Amino acid sequence: MPDDRADLLVVGASQVVTVAAPPGTPPGPRRGEAMREVGVIPGGAVAAFRGRIVAVGEEAEVRRRVRLEPGATVVDAAGGTVLPGLVDPHTHAVFAGWRADEFRLRLRGVPYLEILAAGGGILSTVRATRAASAEELARLLEERLRAMLLCGVTTVEVKSGYGLSWPEERKLLAVIGQVSRNVPVEVVPTFLGAHAVPPEYRGNADGYVEEIVRVMLPEVAREGLARFADVFCDEGVFDLEQTRRILGAARGLGLGVRLHADELASLGGAELAAELGATSADHLLRSRPEGWRRMAEAGVVAVLLPGTALFLGKPYAPARDMIRAGVAVALATDFNPGTCPISSLPLVMGLACVGMGMEPEEVVVAATVNAAHAVGRGEDLGSLEVGKQADLVVFAVPGYEHIPYRMGGAPVSWVVKRGKVVVERGRLVDGR
Ligand code: NIG
Ligand code: FE
């Protein structure tokens, strides 16, 4: 007699990729050899009830185990591949204005940080974003999250950082906080007040750090506007001491911490992430072996962003060395108007293989369970296991390796968020 009720059943898959940890794997994000374990069930099925997974296994077995409620949804994967909903753990998706002029300058050889030092770059997006209303920014963010959903992404971290004053940062965090009401994507909000020194504090970065620590962070914590605080720790932006001050204060207020580390220069951001017990250190293009060793020891997830390396024409992060050093690697888009206009996580998975030598299994782990851990949601998201939230995607391909291989072109046929179908036969069900 079936003992579990189900209101959603996914059948007809060529494979279900559970990304469940094999027995004996330590809890937390996957590292080393465990990054190659994706848990394929050929001809598998998944059942859920009220947004939670109740059964995963071979189709006949799952059908035997569950009792379908009247009116239950049955998804026919039609030979496709079922994966946990993808998680994008690093984006700057709330902004107005694009920077095509800066793209031209960079193509002519002007360095990214030189453009920023001259008042362009991040600061030009700050001007456009300050000038935009909350309604306009919400509309833009929703449109971008819908595009991500159509790529199979069901959870997205979104940073503030184009406001750089308390009223403007607050406006962005409020937009980030309310957008999940209109788009069925879970958004993890991060406060990135320390993204650049605003014009009001030009030449006085320490004064701005003081304002972040004394005014902004306490407000963020008091109003519960963000789960994490982040800092752009790099040459010409915020140095190690300033970063330590900001993230130390953030942690004291109960926020999780993460940082943009060793992207453009080797400042020792990876080591600092370990010292602070950060949830993640991101970019790491110029990080060093000592930094990886300490990150591995401290359990800091490395969020790698190969779309950014590609777009900036920089050498990719040494993913193979990091995995060998025992660091848990996750992947993200970094979607933003300056250093990575790519919003497709499946394309980034392809770049991670081609550019950084990661294996298809590793990129699947990096974009699901490790990415979920990178935003503090690893206990509930990132794998298809009984009890976890029913977030899943059906790619219309015969096997998971097609996802990186097709370089962003693997078609998504279905997406389920919290047990509800939100993409049906490649279209958003809300019709937009
Ligand atoms: O992650 N590094 C800092 N922030 C972004 C770039 C933001 C921008 O240029 O607008 C990044 O690369
Ligand atoms: Fe970034």
Side-chain angles (χ1 to χ4, degrees):
M1 187 56 194
D3 44 9
D4 281 314
R5 295 194 285 168
D7 53 19
L8 174 88
L9 180 64
V10 181
V11 294
S14 59
Q15 54 180 223
V16 169
V17 181
T18 65
V19 201
T25 312
R30 301 299 147 71
R31 309 153 174 244
E33 284 300 310
M35 280 193 68
R36 292 171 192 255
E37 304 282 350
V38 291
V40 176
I41 305 174
V46 184
F49 185 61
R50 295 190 181 151
R52 296 269 146 201
I53 297 172
V54 293
V56 189
E58 279 168 22
E59 189 175 323
E61 170 63 18
V62 170
R63 282 189 187 273
R64 247 195 320 274
R65 272 222 308 272
V66 300
R67 181 160 39 88
L68 276 189
E69 294 280 287
T73 306
V74 178
V75 169
D76 179 5
T81 296
V82 181
L83 272 86
L86 305 181
V87 176
D88 189 340
H90 181 143
T91 82
H92 305 254
V94 59
F95 63 86
W98 287 92
R99 298 187 343 232
D101 47 345
E102 174 183 326
F103 177 55
R104 273 180 195 286
L105 286 178
R106 283 203 306 99
L107 293 174
R108 291 188 192 135
V110 186
Y112 174 76
L113 284 179
E114 199 174 303
I115 297 170
L116 176 61
I122 293 173
L123 295 175
S124 70
T125 301
V126 169
R127 285 187 289 276
T129 305
R130 285 180 175 181
S133 66
E135 293 68 33
E136 173 65 359
L137 290 164
R139 192 188 61 72
L140 289 167
L141 179 57
E142 283 173 22
E143 193 175 286
R144 292 165 189 159
L145 292 176
R146 288 196 182 94
M148 292 181 179
L149 199 53
L150 287 167
C151 291
V153 176
T154 49
T155 302
V156 180
E157 186 256 17
V158 182
K159 302 173 197 298
S160 68
Y162 293 116
L164 309 187
S165 70
W166 178 238
E168 291 296 329
E169 284 293 305
R170 188 174 186 283
K171 174 176 93 178
L172 300 182
L173 290 171
V175 167
I176 294 169
Q178 64 161 48
V179 86
S180 310
R181 279 192 234 139
N182 296 326
V183 192
V185 171
E186 178 173 335
V187 174
V188 178
T190 293
F191 169 64
L192 178 57
H195 195 193
V197 177
E200 296 78 13
Y201 281 91
R202 205 182 160 103
N204 179 18
D206 281 328
Y208 184 53
V209 169
E210 213 41 40
E211 164 141 359
I212 291 174
V213 169
R214 289 194 190 281
V215 180
M216 300 196 195
L217 281 171
E219 283 296 318
V220 170
R222 195 177 60 79
E223 295 188 45
L225 291 170
R227 200 172 307 167
F228 290 97
D230 190 348
V231 173
F232 186 7
C233 175
D234 222 306
E235 197 172 272
V237 202
F238 297 95
D239 64 22
L240 282 184
E241 209 28 68
Q242 293 163 336
T243 306
R244 190 181 276 116
R245 174 114 209 278
I246 295 167
L247 295 181
R251 215 182 32 188
L253 290 163
L255 293 165
V257 303
R258 53 201 315 117
L259 60 154
H260 283 67
D262 303 324
E263 177 182 0
L264 306 163
S266 298
L267 292 192
E271 290 85 341
L272 179 62
E275 174 193 318
L276 293 167
T279 301
S280 75
D282 304 25
H283 285 290
L284 303 168
L285 301 183
R286 311 284 307 273
S287 57
R288 299 170 297 209
E290 179 59 16
W292 314 331
R293 201 182 57 71
R294 295 209 202 158
M295 282 175 61
E297 242 169 51
V300 180
V301 179
V303 176
L304 303 185
L305 309 146
T308 306
L310 174 77
F311 193 70
L312 290 179
K314 306 262 181 206
Y316 289 94
R320 286 256 61 87
D321 293 336
M322 292 181 189
I323 293 171
R324 209 171 301 120
V327 180
V329 169
L331 288 168
T333 59
D334 197 21
F335 175 65
N336 76 77
T339 64
C340 187
I342 297 168
S343 65
S344 162
L345 193 55
L347 170 54
V348 165
M349 292 165 80
L351 288 175
C353 290
V354 174
M356 305 197 295
M358 287 176 73
E359 305 271 335
E361 294 72 26
E362 291 170 328
V363 300
V364 166
V365 167
T368 55
V369 74
N370 280 10
H373 279 286
V375 293
R377 297 282 286 123
E379 299 312 314
D380 205 29
L381 305 176
S383 62
L384 300 174
E385 294 178 82
V386 171
K388 279 199 164 186
Q389 187 166 293
D391 289 11
L392 60 85
V393 48
V394 183
F395 283 92
V397 296
Y400 64 85
E401 65 280 10
H402 281 254
I403 299 164
Y405 156 53
R406 308 254 194 120
M407 296 296 286
V412 166
S413 47
W414 300 82
V415 179
V416 169
K417 180 68 187 174
R418 287 193 192 92
K420 296 243 166 351
V421 171
V422 294
V423 172
E424 183 176 1
R425 296 186 180 84
R427 287 175 183 269
L428 291 162
V429 294
D430 73 4
R432 281 185 266 201

